[in-house]
Amino acid sequence: MKIGVLTGGGDAPGLNAVIRAVVRKSLLFGHELIGIREGWRGLLDNLYEPLDRNSVSGILHRGGTILATSRTNVYKEKDGEARVIKNMSENGIDALVAIGGEDTLGVAAKLAKSGVKVVGVPKTIDNDLNATDFTFGFDTAVNIATEAIDRLHTTAESHNRVIVVEVMGRHAGWIAAYAGIAGGADIILVPEKPFHIDEVCDIIKKRHEGGKSFSIVVASEGAKLMTDDNSDQDGSFILSSMKTDAFGHVKLGGIGNVLAEEIEKRTGYETRSTTLGHIQRGGTPTAFDRVLGTRFGVFAAELVEQGKWGYMAALKGNEIVAVKLEEAVGQLKTIDLKLMDVASTFFG
Amino acid sequence: MKIGVLTGGGDAPGLNAVIRAVVRKSLLFGHELIGIREGWRGLLDNLYEPLDRNSVSGILHRGGTILATSRTNVYKEKDGEARVIKNMSENGIDALVAIGGEDTLGVAAKLAKSGVKVVGVPKTIDNDLNATDFTFGFDTAVNIATEAIDRLHTTAESHNRVIVVEVMGRHAGWIAAYAGIAGGADIILVPEKPFHIDEVCDIIKKRHEGGKSFSIVVASEGAKLMTDDNSDQDGSFILSSMKTDAFGHVKLGGIGNVLAEEIEKRTGYETRSTTLGHIQRGGTPTAFDRVLGTRFGVFAAELVEQGKWGYMAALKGNEIVAVKLEEAVGQLKTIDLKLMDVASTFFG
Amino acid sequence: MKIGVLTGGGDAPGLNAVIRAVVRKSLLFGHELIGIREGWRGLLDNLYEPLDRNSVSGILHRGGTILATSRTNVYKEKDGEARVIKNMSENGIDALVAIGGEDTLGVAAKLAKSGVKVVGVPKTIDNDLNATDFTFGFDTAVNIATEAIDRLHTTAESHNRVIVVEVMGRHAGWIAAYAGIAGGADIILVPEKPFHIDEVCDIIKKRHEGGKSFSIVVASEGAKLMTDDNSDQDGSFILSSMKTDAFGHVKLGGIGNVLAEEIEKRTGYETRSTTLGHIQRGGTPTAFDRVLGTRFGVFAAELVEQGKWGYMAALKGNEIVAVKLEEAVGQLKTIDLKLMDVASTFFG
Amino acid sequence: MKIGVLTGGGDAPGLNAVIRAVVRKSLLFGHELIGIREGWRGLLDNLYEPLDRNSVSGILHRGGTILATSRTNVYKEKDGEARVIKNMSENGIDALVAIGGEDTLGVAAKLAKSGVKVVGVPKTIDNDLNATDFTFGFDTAVNIATEAIDRLHTTAESHNRVIVVEVMGRHAGWIAAYAGIAGGADIILVPEKPFHIDEVCDIIKKRHEGGKSFSIVVASEGAKLMTDDNSDQDGSFILSSMKTDAFGHVKLGGIGNVLAEEIEKRTGYETRSTTLGHIQRGGTPTAFDRVLGTRFGVFAAELVEQGKWGYMAALKGNEIVAVKLEEAVGQLKTIDLKLMDVASTFFG
């Protein structure tokens, strides 16, 4: 068989570990491999590169993806599906390994229904993908964020400051919850549990009255902050200075800055914010992410070997298992509230 | 209630996270805490220190244990159990949280049977404890070993060398398997699967004949290497230069050096060995270990609150659950062979 | 003698190494120590804490300053100098070790002229202080920024992006130059050498036309960017969207975002920006900074012992020497242009 | 001109930064480059590889040397010099950039005298090369050793142990002194200053009597330990269990283990040793080493351009200057005793 491999969506540390494992295991099975560049775009536009043992040598510890990536969605392109099927046929590509998140796997699921031989590997740095306990990249992001929080602790303490750290997590608070617990944050704000600005300020004030001179607040970029500055009939509003979405929730991005301003205004404590941004998704993956990526890649090669089209690799406890692509898409995996209970043990 | 907290056995990154979480959660429940120094020895000899919110401030990211530790076993000391019960009573200690491995938890299990109010938290850097998917400290050790292997890669490559890295793992190969996979090792040797020296040399030779000029071998300190240099009736012997235990297996320690010598002798390739030793168990824990330690600690405080004596916290998939102390002791958790299959995909 | 120790201005990794060294060496000389909290404010308001061998145990590797810091300037406070002299006298403080930058050392220099027994230790994370080759904290900041650039490289490459990284450096480009060279940046922008937006875009375009699909731009927060969008009599203007200072230069902060927008607009390449912010000054100092801080601290204790009031420790080549406090203040140490030549070898 | 580049001796982090800088700067000057593999061996045996802009892309942060290395000495090979001259001529190699230590630069110096057009770049991870303030690789090794000492601190403290850490440094104690000071070691042993075992034990005992329960000893592999266990006419002997060289000094390697045994025997404190070994020279270089390597490489290309044969790059204070190759060889740069004074401030 000639197997095409592609990576779609945002990059995540561990992608190269997956690619390397798919290639090496598939070569042992006797197959031929071909790299498809820039996700689904490469299959629509015939962007290929050779993929053999040499091309995956020395990439295990490298961040990013040697195949590059894009957010192109086959079903949003004219005749997308037909072009994919035609290009696969014309280039002798028998099967696909699609490595990506919600969107990439959603395309894979639809293609599988149309008869394309495709298996998946789940990827989301936010860890919010259903059907797998963990995704690679998440552990690396959490460690980077935790190290940043460690650093901010010493500077906050020296200057008697409140510091707000904005981390990744648009729809789920996994990174904030894990990095916040690991970094000893005094408050953790996640999209799953909207917070009132007064609650935040009360915790900080109580803490400072108790003798502490600094506080660390960790917030997901998608955290939902409420206020009643501009009261209306139900007395609950989003800060007017923030852009809000259709549900009255703060729009993504900028929450860290807004929060810092509001805290300083309401408590009088000097407050600064830091947005970690893109450094959370780059660079050398942790050991956990390299092992998980490798196991996913080996498993995906086995799925291809067994002809289990429409399935993807997933982590359940300590084991890698096969789940239907549909199970991974359509619903977010939000953090469990038990985890927030653990976190709030340390608030204040 | 007045709750005593102790840590026993070897130290592991994350112990302080557990202590901090037990203290803070128990304080929220309204209990009083007392630190017992140096494991069970502290309870036999009345070595205590105050344990309040201040004493656990700023320790989350610190390696080691603020309570110190020892390998003292209550049941190997004269009148051990009676002294423990008497000392608890005289010092008004109502309940215990015992944090430790096989040995420490074994003592806790026996004490519980004798009516002592005790709960446990599992700890082993080797990850070989039954009844929990992972223990804290393991992830840190794996990351340290992986970083070391990354470093050795570049020097091996520059000098056309074989490098043998000896990592922790007396009875189970978890650290070798994880760090070996994460570090892209060419051969991984674990206690669970004895290896013949000729197999090792064959893989290296095939690799070098295929154009590679260096190789990395990762071996658990308890790896079992066979040879037939000194043949006898069954033709299978341990290298005569190694010290062997009663079962004819290589004794712990020194396997790295022996292996390096044998490989150089048999293949002619320049070979060096490095034993990582104590650096694997010290220093700042990874985010994973801080979160796991914290969750274990919070859960242990809840076990105490609920009076679930004789139980310990354990990780199953993504959840923390209660298991009987007996389940954790008496049997090692060895690595599963599927993991070795994954690893051997990359051999040669 | 009773020696007071204080830290002023922004915190920098290595401050605790200095404090520890001053204390331990002065104790060996037979002196008594006292900690003055929050810089000069502590001396104005009598904020003290005991400082003995125990209080500096275990702080060598910790970021921040155990004495806390502030930006209070004695000579901007009512009766500042008189209060300092009175408080020293009333509290039996014979001499001062003032650890800080331009501002803190400027106060120390004036106090010395008024007869106060004071010696200094230079501190600036930006490395822009005259009279010393290097200051502690700078090496740590450079390593943090370099690691961030390493991480951004892999994500830039995977997404075919230009990434702009804004690092510290208001008046001098040391951090940008060092981290930019170390991180393999394609363009480095420093305050010392204003750049025209067209030059920046030309380098990026030439690079991409040469086959590269990504670029990394490192900019000091005080980098001065010119444009001629809004031409006037001299044809050279700052981007109108930027806030400019009296000299028409971009105001500090925000340069990263503005730059990213302009590059994307003019080149058509997807461009992102990341501002490293406070994480650059926190956390565990590098070995270099711990050694430099320790040597500075030991030397400052020797200056006190020798009664060399009005002097400070400075690094010249490999040696620590005494220089007059006045030499350190009044003039910035900007980067030498030879260093920029080295950097620009790699542009494009 | 066609310029050959080679790396000789042990590898050091930063070698690839030098190679990259030599290549890119020389290409800007309009020259052609060729890589010579495995040091001088490659020139004797005609082992070449192409060296252009692409071959040095993405290597800045990689440890080791892409050109590989060996310890082959031209003047210890039959007709060595003649073969070098003949091979250069036959392959059109006009000039050489030799990157290496004492031995490699010694060969370069002799070749220069015989009319070969060669310039040098100094390299020694031990920092013991004359004529330059620092060499690249040293800072990385010191940071690795410091991080290891940090880790050992927490485990030593938890177990009430003395831990001996053996670091690199055969003839000079730079790594031990820097890492020891940075890691807060309680005793530092260097080749420059032989120590009596009783002094070591006295410091440890005094420390433990003063209330500390652990100690960290850092020793260079070439540290010289004296004892009088086996007294003879001059009453001063090396431990009989150690292998000694012609001068009665302990032979390189093994000092850590011997020291740990002796300390435990004489003080009764549990003592362990760790030998850091090869991990000190591998892996990603620090920012300092990347910048220094890059500056050295750019400067070497300029030396070639200017025809300054027989010279090498050297760091003096903050500047890169040209020094004669002879100045670098023939004499070791040992640590200055002022540095040991700083270190011993913290002993006990």
PDB file of all heavy atoms in Angstrom, chain D residues 251-268:
ATOM      1  N   LYS D 251      44.601   9.200  40.010  1.00  0.00           N
ATOM      2  CA  LYS D 251      44.395   9.222  38.561  1.00  0.00           C
ATOM      3  C   LYS D 251      43.001   9.716  38.218  1.00  0.00           C
ATOM      4  O   LYS D 251      42.077   9.621  39.025  1.00  0.00           O
ATOM      5  CB  LYS D 251      44.616   7.817  37.980  1.00  0.00           C
ATOM      6  CG  LYS D 251      46.097   7.534  37.769  1.00  0.00           C
ATOM      7  CD  LYS D 251      46.308   6.217  37.086  1.00  0.00           C
ATOM      8  CE  LYS D 251      46.311   6.331  35.569  1.00  0.00           C
ATOM      9  NZ  LYS D 251      46.706   5.035  34.955  1.00  0.00           N
ATOM     10  N   LEU D 252      42.870  10.210  37.016  1.00  0.00           N
ATOM     11  CA  LEU D 252      41.603  10.789  36.584  1.00  0.00           C
ATOM     12  C   LEU D 252      40.486   9.758  36.637  1.00  0.00           C
ATOM     13  O   LEU D 252      40.692   8.595  36.296  1.00  0.00           O
ATOM     14  CB  LEU D 252      41.742  11.342  35.169  1.00  0.00           C
ATOM     15  CG  LEU D 252      42.923  12.304  34.998  1.00  0.00           C
ATOM     16  CD1 LEU D 252      43.071  12.690  33.558  1.00  0.00           C
ATOM     17  CD2 LEU D 252      42.741  13.517  35.879  1.00  0.00           C
ATOM     18  N   GLY D 253      39.318  10.199  37.029  1.00  0.00           N
ATOM     19  CA  GLY D 253      38.175   9.298  37.080  1.00  0.00           C
ATOM     20  C   GLY D 253      38.137   8.590  38.415  1.00  0.00           C
ATOM     21  O   GLY D 253      39.151   8.264  39.022  1.00  0.00           O
ATOM     22  N   GLY D 254      36.953   8.356  38.916  1.00  0.00           N
ATOM     23  CA  GLY D 254      36.848   7.555  40.124  1.00  0.00           C
ATOM     24  C   GLY D 254      37.007   8.324  41.418  1.00  0.00           C
ATOM     25  O   GLY D 254      36.687   7.800  42.488  1.00  0.00           O
ATOM     26  N   ILE D 255      37.463   9.560  41.331  1.00  0.00           N
ATOM     27  CA  ILE D 255      37.677  10.331  42.554  1.00  0.00           C
ATOM     28  C   ILE D 255      36.387  10.461  43.362  1.00  0.00           C
ATOM     29  O   ILE D 255      36.402  10.395  44.599  1.00  0.00           O
ATOM     30  CB  ILE D 255      38.267  11.730  42.227  1.00  0.00           C
ATOM     31  CG1 ILE D 255      38.572  12.506  43.516  1.00  0.00           C
ATOM     32  CG2 ILE D 255      37.342  12.543  41.355  1.00  0.00           C
ATOM     33  CD1 ILE D 255      39.768  12.022  44.244  1.00  0.00           C
ATOM     34  N   GLY D 256      35.265  10.614  42.656  1.00  0.00           N
ATOM     35  CA  GLY D 256      33.986  10.767  43.353  1.00  0.00           C
ATOM     36  C   GLY D 256      33.665   9.569  44.234  1.00  0.00           C
ATOM     37  O   GLY D 256      33.313   9.720  45.414  1.00  0.00           O
ATOM     38  N   ASN D 257      33.829   8.370  43.690  1.00  0.00           N
ATOM     39  CA  ASN D 257      33.517   7.166  44.462  1.00  0.00           C
ATOM     40  C   ASN D 257      34.445   7.002  45.656  1.00  0.00           C
ATOM     41  O   ASN D 257      34.017   6.682  46.761  1.00  0.00           O
ATOM     42  CB  ASN D 257      33.624   5.926  43.565  1.00  0.00           C
ATOM     43  CG  ASN D 257      32.527   5.900  42.519  1.00  0.00           C
ATOM     44  OD1 ASN D 257      31.425   6.410  42.762  1.00  0.00           O
ATOM     45  ND2 ASN D 257      32.827   5.349  41.361  1.00  0.00           N
ATOM     46  N   VAL D 258      35.738   7.202  45.412  1.00  0.00           N
ATOM     47  CA  VAL D 258      36.710   7.053  46.493  1.00  0.00           C
ATOM     48  C   VAL D 258      36.409   8.034  47.619  1.00  0.00           C
ATOM     49  O   VAL D 258      36.374   7.686  48.800  1.00  0.00           O
ATOM     50  CB  VAL D 258      38.139   7.307  45.958  1.00  0.00           C
ATOM     51  CG1 VAL D 258      39.136   7.373  47.124  1.00  0.00           C
ATOM     52  CG2 VAL D 258      38.521   6.234  44.966  1.00  0.00           C
ATOM     53  N   LEU D 259      36.153   9.256  47.245  1.00  0.00           N
ATOM     54  CA  LEU D 259      35.880  10.313  48.199  1.00  0.00           C
ATOM     55  C   LEU D 259      34.656   9.977  49.048  1.00  0.00           C
ATOM     56  O   LEU D 259      34.658  10.139  50.271  1.00  0.00           O
ATOM     57  CB  LEU D 259      35.645  11.603  47.416  1.00  0.00           C
ATOM     58  CG  LEU D 259      35.820  12.951  48.071  1.00  0.00           C
ATOM     59  CD1 LEU D 259      37.074  13.028  48.918  1.00  0.00           C
ATOM     60  CD2 LEU D 259      35.872  14.008  46.963  1.00  0.00           C
ATOM     61  N   ALA D 260      33.593   9.504  48.375  1.00  0.00           N
ATOM     62  CA  ALA D 260      32.367   9.165  49.091  1.00  0.00           C
ATOM     63  C   ALA D 260      32.629   8.063  50.118  1.00  0.00           C
ATOM     64  O   ALA D 260      32.192   8.153  51.275  1.00  0.00           O
ATOM     65  CB  ALA D 260      31.281   8.733  48.111  1.00  0.00           C
ATOM     66  N   GLU D 261      33.386   7.065  49.720  1.00  0.00           N
ATOM     67  CA  GLU D 261      33.710   5.969  50.657  1.00  0.00           C
ATOM     68  C   GLU D 261      34.492   6.485  51.855  1.00  0.00           C
ATOM     69  O   GLU D 261      34.206   6.130  53.004  1.00  0.00           O
ATOM     70  CB  GLU D 261      34.565   4.904  49.955  1.00  0.00           C
ATOM     71  CG  GLU D 261      33.758   3.876  49.194  1.00  0.00           C
ATOM     72  CD  GLU D 261      34.668   2.945  48.414  1.00  0.00           C
ATOM     73  OE1 GLU D 261      35.779   2.632  48.919  1.00  0.00           O
ATOM     74  OE2 GLU D 261      34.294   2.561  47.292  1.00  0.00           O
ATOM     75  N   GLU D 262      35.492   7.307  51.577  1.00  0.00           N
ATOM     76  CA  GLU D 262      36.333   7.806  52.664  1.00  0.00           C
ATOM     77  C   GLU D 262      35.548   8.693  53.626  1.00  0.00           C
ATOM     78  O   GLU D 262      35.737   8.642  54.834  1.00  0.00           O
ATOM     79  CB  GLU D 262      37.530   8.591  52.084  1.00  0.00           C
ATOM     80  CG  GLU D 262      38.540   7.727  51.360  1.00  0.00           C
ATOM     81  CD  GLU D 262      39.185   6.696  52.290  1.00  0.00           C
ATOM     82  OE1 GLU D 262      39.479   7.040  53.453  1.00  0.00           O
ATOM     83  OE2 GLU D 262      39.373   5.541  51.856  1.00  0.00           O
ATOM     84  N   ILE D 263      34.690   9.535  53.062  1.00  0.00           N
ATOM     85  CA  ILE D 263      33.908  10.433  53.931  1.00  0.00           C
ATOM     86  C   ILE D 263      32.980   9.623  54.836  1.00  0.00           C
ATOM     87  O   ILE D 263      32.896   9.871  56.038  1.00  0.00           O
ATOM     88  CB  ILE D 263      33.105  11.453  53.081  1.00  0.00           C
ATOM     89  CG1 ILE D 263      34.059  12.438  52.394  1.00  0.00           C
ATOM     90  CG2 ILE D 263      32.101  12.203  53.946  1.00  0.00           C
ATOM     91  CD1 ILE D 263      33.402  13.346  51.373  1.00  0.00           C
ATOM     92  N   GLU D 264      32.309   8.633  54.232  1.00  0.00           N
ATOM     93  CA  GLU D 264      31.394   7.825  55.042  1.00  0.00           C
ATOM     94  C   GLU D 264      32.155   7.088  56.144  1.00  0.00           C
ATOM     95  O   GLU D 264      31.725   7.033  57.300  1.00  0.00           O
ATOM     96  CB  GLU D 264      30.629   6.837  54.157  1.00  0.00           C
ATOM     97  CG  GLU D 264      29.630   6.007  54.955  1.00  0.00           C
ATOM     98  CD  GLU D 264      28.545   5.362  54.095  1.00  0.00           C
ATOM     99  OE1 GLU D 264      28.027   6.040  53.177  1.00  0.00           O
ATOM    100  OE2 GLU D 264      28.219   4.197  54.324  1.00  0.00           O
ATOM    101  N   LYS D 265      33.338   6.549  55.778  1.00  0.00           N
ATOM    102  CA  LYS D 265      34.140   5.789  56.737  1.00  0.00           C
ATOM    103  C   LYS D 265      34.589   6.674  57.902  1.00  0.00           C
ATOM    104  O   LYS D 265      34.568   6.262  59.055  1.00  0.00           O
ATOM    105  CB  LYS D 265      35.367   5.234  56.002  1.00  0.00           C
ATOM    106  CG  LYS D 265      36.036   4.057  56.676  1.00  0.00           C
ATOM    107  CD  LYS D 265      37.053   3.397  55.743  1.00  0.00           C
ATOM    108  CE  LYS D 265      38.279   4.280  55.550  1.00  0.00           C
ATOM    109  NZ  LYS D 265      39.199   3.723  54.509  1.00  0.00           N
ATOM    110  N   ARG D 266      34.979   7.914  57.567  1.00  0.00           N
ATOM    111  CA  ARG D 266      35.563   8.772  58.597  1.00  0.00           C
ATOM    112  C   ARG D 266      34.562   9.597  59.398  1.00  0.00           C
ATOM    113  O   ARG D 266      34.852  10.022  60.502  1.00  0.00           O
ATOM    114  CB  ARG D 266      36.566   9.735  57.930  1.00  0.00           C
ATOM    115  CG  ARG D 266      37.838   9.038  57.492  1.00  0.00           C
ATOM    116  CD  ARG D 266      38.531   9.815  56.382  1.00  0.00           C
ATOM    117  NE  ARG D 266      39.548   8.990  55.735  1.00  0.00           N
ATOM    118  CZ  ARG D 266      40.847   9.085  55.986  1.00  0.00           C
ATOM    119  NH1 ARG D 266      41.277   9.972  56.833  1.00  0.00           N
ATOM    120  NH2 ARG D 266      41.707   8.290  55.377  1.00  0.00           N
ATOM    121  N   THR D 267      33.415   9.880  58.792  1.00  0.00           N
ATOM    122  CA  THR D 267      32.453  10.728  59.507  1.00  0.00           C
ATOM    123  C   THR D 267      31.253   9.936  60.012  1.00  0.00           C
ATOM    124  O   THR D 267      30.550  10.382  60.906  1.00  0.00           O
ATOM    125  CB  THR D 267      31.879  11.839  58.593  1.00  0.00           C
ATOM    126  OG1 THR D 267      31.129  11.221  57.537  1.00  0.00           O
ATOM    127  CG2 THR D 267      32.978  12.695  57.999  1.00  0.00           C
ATOM    128  N   GLY D 268      31.018   8.779  59.415  1.00  0.00           N
ATOM    129  CA  GLY D 268      29.843   8.011  59.810  1.00  0.00           C
ATOM    130  C   GLY D 268      28.561   8.487  59.137  1.00  0.00           C
ATOM    131  O   GLY D 268      27.520   7.868  59.273  1.00  0.00           O
TER     132      GLY D 268
END
